[in-house]
Amino acid sequence: MARVRDERASQFRKGALELVILALLDRGELYGVEIVDRLAERPGLEASAGTIYPLLSRLKKAGVVDTTWRESPVGPPRKYYRLSPAGASELTEMTRSWRDIAAAIDDVLTGGADDA
Amino acid sequence: MARVRDERASQFRKGALELVILALLDRGELYGVEIVDRLAERPGLEASAGTIYPLLSRLKKAGVVDTTWRESPVGPPRKYYRLSPAGASELTEMTRSWRDIAAAIDDVLTGGADDA
DNA sequence: CACGCTAGCTTGTGATGCAAGGTAGCATCG
DNA sequence: CGATGCTACCTTGCATCACAAGCTAGCGTG
């Protein structure tokens, strides 16, 4: 049954992953594997590397994140991602959109605004 | 800019639409066009008929909704959708999943659970 | 120099939102 | 009684996206 639960969660997560990643980067730069690990710590927000990297590519192409290669003390170089100025305002607006949608859904769930 | 806002909203809505429709049907049976209209009343949850009908087909195939044809006083017959017993428990579990995910996202947005 | 770990990225698939278009019942108007 | 228009259901084609699986490559150790 855990599988079914996971699939449901996966549905909800769609579209919100981008917001969550921007929010994480708002607190400081991170590299790919680190982002995957941070998400894995939060039940319901897990995402595999195969999901994260294409998303990060899209974010970079869209100009909302900037990247820097840095040496690693223990392995291959890491590509650090950080919010660009455009990314910061995108985060602000996405956060507002998110709150609106979440409120609308909660409203439906609680039977609100029902004039029948 | 309104267009940009809509696209963002569209991203978030993904996956949540199903939950919202089940929640609407939980209050009584509705037919297709009526569902589209109800969603249109709620800013952020709008969805076109081309989105709704395939989704309703999937829900029927999955056994979470039942359907009944009824005559209309003013036009062609309407196909009414209503929650099946399986749909009711699905709604319960999806609601729980939704609240979990929404809480996790809010947590990230507010900088919660940050041990750095 | 082979193995294994870390790290980044690509490919292929399936699901899904959505615009556009198609079919059809019913009523009204000339 | 044919044309027009409204309501209602549904399909097609396309673009996006999460995801599993797999690939490349740097670096250190035995």
Side-chain angles (χ1 to χ4, degrees), chain B residues 73-107:
Chain B
V74 299
R78 298 162 175 173
K79 195 180 199 172
Y80 280 86
Y81 296 82
R82 121 188 59 82
L83 274 193
S84 70
S89 48
E90 179 71 9
L91 172 59
T92 302
E93 298 192 46
M94 285 188 76
T95 300
R96 189 159 32 231
S97 287
W98 163 255
R99 295 206 195 285
D100 288 350
I101 299 293
I105 292 174
D106 279 344
D107 193 51

Side-chain angles (χ1 to χ4, degrees), chain A residues 69-72 75-79:
Chain A
W69 284 100
R70 290 198 208 287
E71 296 298 316
S72 159
R78 299 162 174 174
K79 196 180 197 173

Side-chain angles (χ1 to χ4, degrees), chain A residues 97-115:
Chain A
S97 286
W98 162 256
R99 295 207 195 284
D100 288 350
I101 299 294
I105 292 173
D106 280 344
D107 193 52
V108 174
L109 289 181
T110 54
D114 193 354
D115 45 281

Side-chain angles (χ1 to χ4, degrees), chain A residues 10 13-14 48 50-51 58 75-76:
Chain A
S10 164
R13 212 169 35 233
K14 282 188 180 184
S48 72
T51 296
R58 289 198 297 276

Side-chain angles (χ1 to χ4, degrees), chain B residues 29-68:
Chain B
E29 62 178 19
L30 296 171
Y31 63 97
V33 172
E34 216 169 2
I35 294 175
V36 172
D37 289 347
R38 290 291 177 89
L39 293 178
E41 289 166 7
R42 300 172 180 272
L45 299 183
E46 310 88 347
S48 72
T51 296
I52 297 303
Y53 285 113
L55 204 167
L56 288 171
S57 283
R58 288 199 297 275
L59 293 178
K60 167 132 197 213
K61 203 166 296 174
V64 295
V65 302
D66 293 325
T67 60
T68 316

